[in-house]
Amino acid sequence: METENGSTASGFSYLGINFGDLTINDNSSSAFSDCNSDRSGEFASASSESRRKLLLSCTGDDFSDEFIQQLVYSLNSSSIEEQKQAAMEIRLLAKNKPENRLKIAQAGAIKPLVSLILSSDLQLQEYGVTAILNLSLCDENKDHITSSGAIKPLVRALRIGTSTAKENAACALLRLSQIDENKSLIGRSGAIPALVHLLENGGLRAKKDASTALYSLCSVKENKRRAIEAGIMKPLIELMADFGANMVDKSAYVLNLLMVLPEAKVALVEEGGIPVLVEIVEVGTHRQKEIAAAILLQLCEDSGVYRTMVAREGAIPPLVALSQSGTSRARKKAETLIELLRQPRSGNAAARDI
C-alpha cells in the first residue's frame, strides 16, 4: 500500500535491511516549489482607473460583502472586459488576503470562474485559472472547486493556455491533488500527459511547477503508469543530467516514485539513465547522491543484468566514497548497493535475470 509521500509500505529487504522507504527523510518536499505564486502581468495591461482599483485590491484591509458580490456578478457579464476586470480583482483579493479566499468562495465566485477557464479568450482564461489557484490555497475551498467541475477545464488550460495559464493550472491541480481522492480523478482527466509535456517543453518555472504536480499525482500507482506511458522518463533523465538547471533533485524524487514499476526500470535504462545516476553519485550534492543511490538500488535489486550495467558504468568507486562520507542513510544504501554489484554471477544467470 502506497503512502502519501510515495514510498511503499512493504518495500523490499536485502541482507536483513528493510528498504521500504527509499525517499530522503530530510523532507523531500523541500526540493519542490510551493506552487502558490501568482503572476499574470495585470498592471501592464490595465488602465489608470483599473490600476487604482487593483492597487486597492492589493493593499486594502477590508472589503464589504457587497463589494465582493458585485465582483462575482461582473464575472457573469456579457462584456469580456468587465469579466477580466472582475477576475483580476478577485484573484488579487484572494492572493494577498488569505481571509478573503473563503469569503470569495462563499459569495459564489467559483462556478463562474471555472466557466472563464473555458473561454476562448486566452487572457480571460488565464485570469480565471489564476483566481482558482489563489482560491485553492484555502483548504476549505478545495472540495467546492472540485465539485464545481474545475479539473477538466484546468487540464484544458494546461494544454492550450498561455505560458502563465499553464504554470498556474499545474499549481492549481497540485493543490487539488492534496485531497487524496482527487489524485485518480485528475489522472483520469488527462493531466499527466499534459504535465509531462510541460516538464519537457516549458520554461524553468513551468518545469518546476510540472515536476511538483507530478510528484504529488504519482503517489498513486495508476498515475505512475500514465506518466511512464506519456514518456516522462526522457525529460526526467535530461533534467537530472543538467546540473545547471536546478532540477536534479526534483527530477530524481519523481523518478524515485516511479521505480516501483518494472516498466519504469526498463524506460530508465533505455533513456540512458544509468550513466546519469552514476555521475550524480560521483559529483552531486549529499542529497542528490543519496537519492541517486536509492534509485540505482531499486534498479539493481532483482536484476543481474542491470547490476552488470551499473558496475560497468563505474559506479563502485563513487559508491565506496559515499559509504564512507555520506549520511547514515546514504551509507547504508551505498553499502547495500556495493554488495549487490560485487555478487558473483554466472553467464546463464545474467541472461535470464532481467
Side-chain angles (χ1 to χ4, degrees), residues 14 297 300-301 307 336-343:
Y14 180 73
L297 183 54
C300 294
E301 61 171 312
R307 292 173 205 164
T336 306
L337 183 52
I338 291 167
E339 184 69 23
L340 275 173
L341 297 179
R342 286 177 171 169
Q343 281 185 353

Side-chain angles (χ1 to χ4, degrees), residues 11 38 61 73 91 111 127 159 164 191 207 218 254 278 280 294:
D38 166 6
D61 292 327
Y73 179 80
R91 49 172 283 266
K111 284 191 176 180
Y127 293 159
R159 292 198 309 266
T164 299
K207 293 177 189 295
C218 286
V254 176
V278 171
I280 293 172

Side-chain angles (χ1 to χ4, degrees), residues 28-89:
S28 60
S29 63
S30 65
F32 294 95
S33 61
D34 289 334
C35 265
N36 61 4
S37 54
D38 166 6
R39 61 184 178 96
S40 296
E42 63 276 359
F43 293 109
S45 61
S47 66
S48 57
E49 177 62 19
S50 295
R51 290 192 188 101
R52 184 189 70 78
K53 291 182 178 180
L54 290 167
L55 284 169
L56 287 173
S57 297
C58 287
T59 60
D61 292 327
D62 190 26
F63 297 89
S64 67
D65 291 342
E66 291 78 12
F67 177 76
I68 292 176
Q69 287 287 356
Q70 181 57 47
L71 291 177
V72 173
Y73 179 80
S74 296
L75 291 175
N76 295 297
S77 171
S78 59
S79 165
I80 288 181
E81 292 307 313
E82 189 173 345
Q83 288 178 314
K84 286 181 182 179
Q85 180 66 36
M88 283 194 293
E89 294 195 40

Side-chain angles (χ1 to χ4, degrees), residues 19-288:
F19 288 93
D21 179 9
L22 286 173
T23 58
I24 307 305
N25 293 330
D26 60 357
N27 189 5
S28 60
S29 63
S30 65
F32 294 95
S33 61
D34 289 334
C35 265
N36 61 4
S37 54
D38 166 6
R39 61 184 178 96
S40 296
E42 63 276 359
F43 293 109
S45 61
S47 66
S48 57
E49 177 62 19
S50 295
R51 290 192 188 101
R52 184 189 70 78
K53 291 182 178 180
L54 290 167
L55 284 169
L56 287 173
S57 297
C58 287
T59 60
D61 292 327
D62 190 26
F63 297 89
S64 67
D65 291 342
E66 291 78 12
F67 177 76
I68 292 176
Q69 287 287 356
Q70 181 57 47
L71 291 177
V72 173
Y73 179 80
S74 296
L75 291 175
N76 295 297
S77 171
S78 59
S79 165
I80 288 181
E81 292 307 313
E82 189 173 345
Q83 288 178 314
K84 286 181 182 179
Q85 180 66 36
M88 283 194 293
E89 294 195 40
I90 284 174
R91 49 172 283 266
L92 286 168
L93 286 172
K95 172 186 177 180
N96 292 284
K97 305 294 288 185
E99 59 269 26
N100 286 336
R101 293 167 188 156
L102 187 57
K103 186 186 294 187
I104 291 169
Q106 290 173 338
I110 289 176
K111 284 191 176 180
L113 286 170
V114 170
S115 296
L116 297 189
I117 299 175
L118 295 170
S119 173
S120 59
D121 185 295
L122 292 182
Q123 189 179 55
L124 183 58
Q125 179 193 69
E126 178 184 304
Y127 293 159
V129 168
T130 310
I132 288 293
L133 165 61
N134 291 346
L135 292 175
S136 74
L137 301 180
C138 173
D139 288 342
E140 290 89 338
N141 289 340
K142 290 175 182 175
D143 281 333
H144 189 181
I145 292 171
T146 302
S147 64
S148 296
I151 289 177
K152 286 187 176 180
L154 286 170
V155 172
R156 178 176 179 270
L158 190 60
R159 292 198 309 266
I160 68 169
T162 65
S163 59
T164 299
K166 290 177 180 179
E167 293 162 1
N168 288 344
C171 291
L173 290 168
L174 165 69
R175 292 294 172 180
L176 297 181
S177 75
Q178 290 169 345
I179 297 176
D180 284 346
E181 310 87 82
N182 287 344
K183 294 180 190 291
S184 295
L185 178 60
I186 292 170
R188 290 195 299 270
S189 298
I192 303 296
L195 286 167
V196 170
H197 185 269
L198 190 61
L199 181 69
E200 185 167 16
N201 299 290
L204 180 57
R205 180 177 183 264
K207 293 177 189 295
K208 291 179 178 179
D209 293 342
S211 67
T212 308
L214 285 164
Y215 181 76
S216 175
L217 291 168
C218 286
S219 63
V220 174
K221 190 172 185 179
E222 63 195 80
N223 287 339
K224 290 179 173 67
R225 290 204 168 90
R226 291 186 177 105
I228 296 298
E229 291 168 0
I232 193 174
M233 197 60 66
K234 180 176 182 289
L236 286 181
I237 297 300
E238 290 177 349
L239 290 169
M240 288 169 60
D242 185 358
F243 285 87
N246 194 30
M247 286 290 296
V248 175
D249 303 61
K250 298 172 180 63
S251 302
Y253 277 114
V254 176
L255 176 55
N256 187 50
L257 282 181
L258 302 175
M259 290 299 290
V260 298
L261 298 180
E263 53 266 46
K265 298 177 182 181
V266 173
L268 183 152
V269 174
E270 290 179 346
E271 293 294 342
I274 289 176
V276 172
L277 289 165
V278 171
E279 183 182 14
I280 293 172
V281 174
E282 185 172 7
V283 302
T285 64
H286 291 304
R287 181 164 70 175
Q288 290 166 0

